[in-house]
Amino acid sequence: MRAAPEWLAPSSLEEALALLAERGDEALPLAGGTFLAALLNQRLIEPACLLSLARIAALGGIEGGEELRLGAMARHRDVELSPLVREGWPAVARAFGVVASPRVRNQATVGGVLADADYASDPPAMLCALGARAVARSAAGVREIPVEELITGYYETSLRPDELIVEVRVPRADRAVYRKFRTRSHEDRPCVAVAAARRGAETRVVVGAVAGRPQHFPELCRDGDAAEIGRRYADAIEPIADVRGSAAYRKRVIAVEVRRALEELAT
Amino acid sequence: MRVRFALNGEPVELDVRADETLLTVLRRDAGILSARESCGIGVCGACTVLVDGRPTSACLLLAPLADGAEVATAEGLGPDHPVVRAFAEAHAFQCGFCTPGMIVAATALLAESPSPSDAQIRHALAGNLCRCGSYVKILEAVRRAAA
Amino acid sequence: MSRESILLGRVRYSQDRELPGMLHARVLRSPYPHARIVRVDASAVPARAVALTPDDVRGLGVYGCQIQDQTVLALDRALHAGDPVAAVAAATPDEAEDALALIEVEYEELPAVSDLEEALAGSVLVHERIRISDNDAAYFGIRPEQGTNVCHRFRILHGDFEVGLEQADVVIEETFRTPAAQHAPMEPHACLARWEGGRLELWTGTHTPFNVRSDLARVFGLAEEDVRVVVPPMGGSFGAKTFVHLEALTAALARKAGRPVRCVLPRSEEWVTNNRHPALLTVKIGATADGTLVAKRVDSWIDTGAYADCGPGVAQKIGYSAVGPYRIPHVHVESRCVYTNRPPNGAFRGFGATQAAWASERAMDLLADRLGLDPLELRLRNVLRDGDVFCTGETVRDVHFAECLERAAAAIDWGQGRSGKGLCVLLKGMQTPSRAQIAVEAADGGGYTIRCATAELGQGSRRALTLVASELLGAPLSEISFPDPDTDIVPYDTRATSSRSTYMMGNALEEAVRELRKDGRRGVGEFRNSGGLDPDTGQGVASSHWHQGAAAAEVRVDEETGLVEVVRLHAAVYAGRVVNPPGAELQNEGSMIMGLGSALFEAVSFADGQVVNANLSDYQIPSIADIPDGLTHDLLTKPGAEVHGLGETALPPVPAAIGNALGSLGIQTTELPLMPETVLAAIDRRDGGGVR
């Protein structure tokens, strides 16, 4: 019968990166494992080897300063409840706090949600709006990747097979909001999500859950009132259609929710 | 591979595959029936267990990740546990399939917030689905247990 | 099943039952909605697993509670995406899954019937010939239209609709749709089968143990007594677990394996096993200027999927439910049950009443609007009262529709402005005719044992019956045991459906206790309700007593997105005499919450004949955060009255009450669920149709 995957659980980052360099093609990095377990349960993947990051203490932690530093293995629930995050980056606490249930948030990690690049997850759009960067390490070195360049499409990232996200750095904003528009149960994933952040004269608006990757159009935010920007976003985005809403409906909601996010940002 | 963890306070050692979930091995090898598979994707809460005190979907936790943890299930609660008593007094169940998971989730909520508001209760338990729709009485039970 | 065992998770549901040497089953299903099965090759399945293919079951009998249209596996044609074409039993579920991948099936895709319109066009027949079952269908005449996809047509002729229509000053005609929905019991279907000395034994979650017994006896050519059906508690059902679903296949696997086999359905397969009937109803209703109803015509089509299951019964119930609890002198109903190449649809809490009330009660509000009448006034003017004659010709007694309506309306302050508020009244029948038997035995060590086929699915019937028995016997609850139903031991019962168990069994129990007193050891009681409807005229006795209720809703609408917030929801239900107050409350609350899901967002979605949302993330059900703060209900009681089952009454009126609340804002919808997108389209229509 089917062979069980090998379980690798290194206790240091160096060891993990060495293993990844050596076996990147067959080793699947595993953080909290919520996404991978769901795929494994449905037999959508059959990896030869699982590389667990759970024992690498250096990947945990939440630190504040000029920027917020979220360790890749920090759990959603830790981000949600961290007084430091709530105080300095309340919209980040909110975006992580509205993901699924407390159970999933107890398990899912900061690095995991970015590396999965699930189009309907809440945090990526918010991190993108705040101009956050993922720090990626490999045996060969380290680089910073803006979140909006990290996620390239449905479940696709610009990470190389030998790279791991080790940390996410989130700059401060003057104000930021996250709006999750659901069309069904409270437990549903968003039909349209809008993250918006204001820093000095710059306003960034990112729409999530409507396409393969967070939708950000800096040039559309430079002038015009909230309603106008909302309409521009609705025109610019080609949304998906699914059980949560058709493409045409999503366009209408994008116009409304972007406007509302900008109005909220102005308060 | 072997995993060792404490189950309701007792040490257990199980032989597992790396791609098996804690739910599979608890039910198959550890005699646990209160954690139940319903959705299989972590959205329903029928398999809620505590891992190091935190509510967790046993169906989404790969078994090797439970190594070294303290795992608690409804089997570890007695009939006199205040949350169990409150659920009994409030008649907060129908078919009972989701109930142990709901109770485990409620114990974790009350450990964190001993006097939760209704909004907090709803937020904390929203991921535990009860198709019988016993929610009105579940709310009442958690309020009682908090009192 | 003690309270403690439920709370601490010690209950063993069907999915938890085990036997030594037991194997685990998995099912291979057709990926096509309609296909010829050219070849099934299981030769690559290793010897330690057992594969069941069409050739293994070709000689077995056909089954189906109302129409004999099901075989153990699809034989020559797969009739829906998800139709079982092979199955495997192996030492673990994982190994069975592995083995499934080794079975090769060659299909030749056929044109498929994907909805009611295509089914009625009739260019593709799902079944060549429609064979009526002698089982459940014995209770009412089935009227298949051979050579078409209509497997049953039920008609009501009362007065003369055309004559009535001429008397009408105002006529409303509108078409309403309800989609498929999924029961989503927390415990999926699960069944354990064993063959022992030529007898078949099954442990299975079902409301209908005797029906399962007779269908399996027919499949395997056994005497009914050689099939034993034991019913462990169910982790919910809501109608999903009525009639045969996994049982025939699991039993056939166990027979081939020569070992016990358990089949626990993976969650995703629930959506291809049993759903709620999608329905299309056209309602034409006429009234005089003062708001007196004079004529109503209902044309109804329900999509029963590839197998009829109890669809003909649902069509019959929709037929009279869609007339509603009103005095109407001229009524014509044509209600049809139609095959399509979709997964089978069957009993779902409400049994057609939800689809019927959605159409009938939305039409009432449209009529009230046209007449310029208060929707409550219009209803009260026409609602059935004691001694009135229903469209079936039966005189109704002990009816409280007006009171239910008034209580529901008062609960949302109807008198203080109707904007954002809506009402719905509901009439639902109980299985008629039917027969229930119950035995009470004096146990050897003292105390009493109740033996009956009433299955526990969370509805609390067994608790209610234990309470009744305790009162009748003058014995404390602790002295009364109530083992799981076992057809080898318990006396006959039609089924635990249509909210009939507490009423029917409660009545039978009185006789059983009297007989026990005479006999000293054992007493058996029987209760029958008689009646039935002529399928060609709809005349007779539809229901020996009526489930009656009303719902009232108040909504707030985000008019820019169409998102509906239900602020207040109230159900008033006639309960007669309440045996178990917390149980009654739970049934009402649970029904209302399920109704909210049906109203606002539950729908099975299809693309190319495939279900596209077969998981509990893509198919959402209500959570605790979805219930309105203002969710309240009334149980109307009457001293000395009959006990009324409450399992379903508060669900069907909820969607129409919410739809009518939207209607009060000029947002006129005809299609469920009331997803924001649907509501926004209705807002656009109200405002003149402009986009943006």
Side-chain angles (χ1 to χ4, degrees), chain B residues 52-101:
Chain B
D52 294 329
R54 294 169 160 224
T56 301
S57 289
C59 78
L60 284 192
L61 188 72
L62 291 180
L65 291 175
D67 194 53
E70 306 255 348
V71 176
T73 70
E75 276 86 353
L77 305 172
D80 295 326
H81 188 283
V83 179
V84 177
R85 267 214 324 267
F87 270 68
E89 287 164 10
H91 306 276
F93 58 89
Q94 291 182 59
C95 78
F97 199 85
C98 71
T99 311

Side-chain angles (χ1 to χ4, degrees), chain C residues 337-625:
Chain C
C337 180
V338 183
Y339 284 125
T340 62
N341 292 115
R342 285 279 172 92
N345 299 304
F348 187 106
R349 197 177 203 174
F351 211 74
T354 305
Q355 297 95 316
W358 170 246
S360 166
E361 287 292 283
R362 281 289 298 124
M364 281 298 277
D365 264 39
L366 295 176
L367 181 64
D369 194 44
R370 187 75 65 80
L371 287 163
L373 272 180
D374 175 336
L376 175 61
E377 276 308 310
L378 176 66
R379 287 178 173 82
L380 291 177
R381 196 162 297 182
N382 293 284
V383 84
L384 291 172
R385 298 178 192 255
D386 267 24
D388 281 344
V389 176
F390 188 43
C391 64
T392 53
E394 69 206 275
T395 301
V396 297
R397 305 267 176 225
D398 194 23
V399 292
H400 306 267
F401 297 109
E403 197 184 347
C404 289
L405 268 167
E406 282 164 340
R407 294 274 278 267
I412 60 163
D413 301 314
W414 186 262
Q416 284 143 53
R418 305 200 310 257
S419 175
K421 297 175 186 174
L423 294 171
C424 174
V425 65
L426 178 90
L427 154 149
K428 186 187 172 297
M430 193 183 68
Q431 181 70 22
T432 303
S434 78
R435 177 159 72 97
Q437 285 184 346
I438 193 165
V440 184
E441 295 166 2
D444 287 335
Y448 301 92
T449 306
I450 299 177
R451 307 262 185 212
C452 85
T454 297
E456 186 56 61
L457 42 121
Q459 88 280 39
S461 290
R462 286 150 61 89
R463 168 116 188 127
L465 288 173
T466 309
L467 288 165
V468 174
S470 158
E471 198 182 305
L472 292 168
L473 292 160
L477 289 175
S478 58
E479 287 184 14
I480 299 169
S481 70
F482 199 156
D484 290 341
D486 177 340
T487 56
D488 274 7
I489 300 170
V490 303
Y492 182 80
D493 176 39
T494 307
R495 50 170 105 148
T497 63
S498 70
S499 309
R500 64 183 279 284
S501 294
T502 310
Y503 169 73
M504 295 290 295
M505 285 294 180
N507 277 303
L509 192 55
E510 292 186 19
E511 187 191 351
V513 169
R514 278 198 304 276
E515 291 300 311
L516 171 69
R517 294 248 154 82
K518 284 188 216 158
D519 181 83
R521 299 289 302 166
R522 178 177 160 100
V524 178
E526 179 176 287
F527 190 76
R528 288 168 186 260
N529 57 345
S530 53
L533 295 175
D534 182 312
D536 302 316
T537 63
Q539 300 304 294
V541 175
S543 186
S544 56
H545 82 187
W546 295 102
H547 300 317
Q548 307 158 41
E554 182 181 4
V555 301
R556 251 198 306 262
V557 182
D558 176 348
E559 295 225 349
E560 286 187 288
T561 62
L563 191 67
V564 177
E565 184 195 350
V566 178
V567 184
R568 284 195 279 186
L569 183 65
H570 186 91
V573 166
Y574 179 61
R577 184 162 60 87
V578 173
V579 177
N580 174 22
E585 290 169 17
L586 281 163
Q587 284 289 292
N588 253 7
E589 290 159 4
S591 292
M592 292 169 76
I593 291 166
M594 203 171 226
L596 268 177
S598 280
L600 297 178
F601 50 75
E602 287 189 39
V604 182
S605 299
F606 291 87
D608 301 325
Q610 316 278 336
V611 179
V612 296
N613 57 346
N615 62 68
L616 285 177
S617 174
D618 292 324
Y619 187 99
Q620 295 267 307
I621 63 175
S623 78
I624 197 168

Side-chain angles (χ1 to χ4, degrees), chain C residues 202-273:
Chain C
L202 289 150
W203 288 259
T204 184
T206 181
H207 307 226
T208 55
F210 282 99
N211 189 286
V212 168
R213 184 177 78 160
S214 66
D215 259 356
L216 290 191
R218 181 183 300 109
V219 167
F220 293 102
L222 299 170
E224 293 204 2
E225 294 69 30
D226 285 332
V227 179
R228 176 188 177 207
V229 179
V230 182
V231 188
M234 280 169 262
S237 167
F238 319 106
K241 298 167 185 172
T242 42
F243 309 113
V244 173
H245 293 290
L246 297 182
E247 290 86 352
L249 190 151
T250 311
L253 259 176
R255 188 163 79 162
K256 185 165 183 195
R259 288 166 69 173
V261 171
R262 187 174 77 190
C263 186
V264 180
L265 209 58
R267 174 59 58 185
S268 62
E269 295 176 29
E270 288 290 321
W271 279 262
V272 294
T273 299

